[in-house]
Amino acid sequence: MQWFECKDDLFSHEDDEHSYCFECDIQFASYPYLTQHFVQSPHHAYCQRCRLHLDDDQDLRNHYEDEHAYCGDCNKIFDSEIGLQEHHRQKHADRYCVPCKRMFENGNNLDNHQRSAAHQGRTVQCPMQNCGRSFVSTAALVLHLESGSCPSRLTRDAVNRIVAQIDRSNIITNPSRLIAGTPGSSGDTTVTKTWATERAWNGSCYECYLCHRTYRSLSALNQHLSSPARAEKLYHCPQGWQGCDAAFSTLSAFCQHVEGGSCGVRRFQSEFNRVMGQLSSGAKQLTMGW
């Protein structure tokens, strides 16, 4: 065994004296040819920059990501992080956030990130009394109201009832999913709601008659039935606003669709803002008596 004072001396020695691949049993004319073999052969997981053998390709990739400025999509190593960032900016602009120096799996994830609190100011204030919270978007505000976390004690059902009262022309609500008020009720509209009783017991557990999932308790089943996943699709993207007629179970989901700009409905942002303003006024009137 021979020892060397530094890594450069070791590398120089290898260049001069060693050109044999023991694993493949091949002698090469010089060490550079041996190195080329390590890099190109599928039998070797080899980092040329570190002159390091890894167990397999996954270990090699992990090594690149941990130790080098590496672009996995292009399988390319750069001399510095600055070089890698510039590469991302030029070649992966559809998935790369320049200020955050962060790559995303797809453009939709990048769009969601750019609309998040990381880049957007919390300029949308909750209009309810004693709340004072601010959000980055109308969708985030509506989700806050639907979740029941607002001091106003609004819930998803309450939000749906308010929108049903406001949207008399069914611009964004689906009339087939709503129940019209009884005669003499001033045309009031109520939102349908589903719940289970003891009759949901199938002999061993409580079963959802819609999707046939089972639960140990009746309360768990009713929680499942009241979740957005099981809710009626009360909202739709209005074709009259050049929308796509997609259906949504919650107002917040519809708002996210509008703000995402995936169809032409966003061109009617002023009309959308007017509906949201009416929702805020209706919510205030509803909660004044609570």
Side-chain angles (χ1 to χ4, degrees), residues 115 124 137-139 238 241-242 254-277:
R115 291 197 300 268
V124 181
S137 66
T138 300
W241 290 358
Q242 297 186 13
F254 167 65
C255 292
Q256 286 178 323
H257 172 73
V258 173
E259 293 169 354
S262 58
C263 71
V265 71
R266 195 171 185 180
R267 301 173 192 171
F268 292 80
Q269 189 72 42
S270 58
E271 286 86 347
F272 172 74
N273 291 339
R274 178 179 57 80
V275 173
M276 292 300 101

Side-chain angles (χ1 to χ4, degrees), residues 127-128 145 159 161-169 171-172 241 251 270-286:
M128 299 297 101
L145 297 174
V159 170
R161 287 197 300 271
I162 295 169
V163 177
Q165 291 293 320
I166 295 171
D167 189 27
R168 296 289 187 178
S169 300
I171 297 174
I172 65 172
W241 290 358
L251 180 61
S270 58
E271 286 86 347
F272 172 74
N273 291 339
R274 178 179 57 80
V275 173
M276 292 300 101
Q278 291 177 339
L279 170 64
S280 297
S281 299
K284 286 180 180 178
Q285 293 175 8
L286 178 66

Side-chain angles (χ1 to χ4, degrees), residues 214-271:
T214 57
Y215 298 86
R216 293 184 178 181
S217 67
L218 181 60
S219 60
L221 173 56
N222 277 317
Q223 185 176 5
H224 161 72
L225 289 172
S226 65
S227 69
R230 291 265 58 90
E232 294 277 9
K233 294 186 181 298
L234 302 177
Y235 303 95
H236 66 97
C237 184
Q239 291 181 318
W241 290 358
Q242 297 186 13
C244 60
D245 203 34
F248 306 90
S249 299
T250 63
L251 180 61
S252 58
F254 167 65
C255 292
Q256 286 178 323
H257 172 73
V258 173
E259 293 169 354
S262 58
C263 71
V265 71
R266 195 171 185 180
R267 301 173 192 171
F268 292 80
Q269 189 72 42
S270 58
E271 286 86 347

Side-chain angles (χ1 to χ4, degrees), residues 118-189:
H119 290 278
Q120 302 294 330
R122 296 179 181 271
T123 58
V124 181
Q125 292 186 334
C126 178
M128 299 297 101
Q129 292 183 351
N130 303 320
C131 183
R133 293 188 61 184
S134 298
F135 302 88
V136 299
S137 66
T138 300
L141 167 61
V142 175
L143 182 60
H144 159 71
L145 297 174
E146 291 174 339
S147 68
S149 60
C150 181
S152 65
R153 294 183 292 167
L154 279 176
T155 63
R156 178 161 49 87
D157 288 338
V159 170
N160 291 341
R161 287 197 300 271
I162 295 169
V163 177
Q165 291 293 320
I166 295 171
D167 189 27
R168 296 289 187 178
S169 300
N170 301 119
I171 297 174
I172 65 172
T173 52
N174 187 341
S176 65
R177 302 294 183 180
L178 302 173
I179 298 177
T182 57
S185 61
S186 304
D188 286 347
T189 304

Side-chain angles (χ1 to χ4, degrees), residues 22-38:
F22 290 91
E23 184 174 345
C24 301
D25 193 22
I26 301 175
Q27 179 70 46
F28 293 89
S30 65
Y31 190 78
Y33 285 108
L34 175 61
T35 300
Q36 185 177 15
H37 162 72
F38 288 154

Side-chain angles (χ1 to χ4, degrees), residues 181-197:
T182 57
S185 61
S186 304
D188 286 347
T189 304
T190 58
V191 178
T192 61
K193 186 175 181 180
T194 303
W195 68 92
T197 67

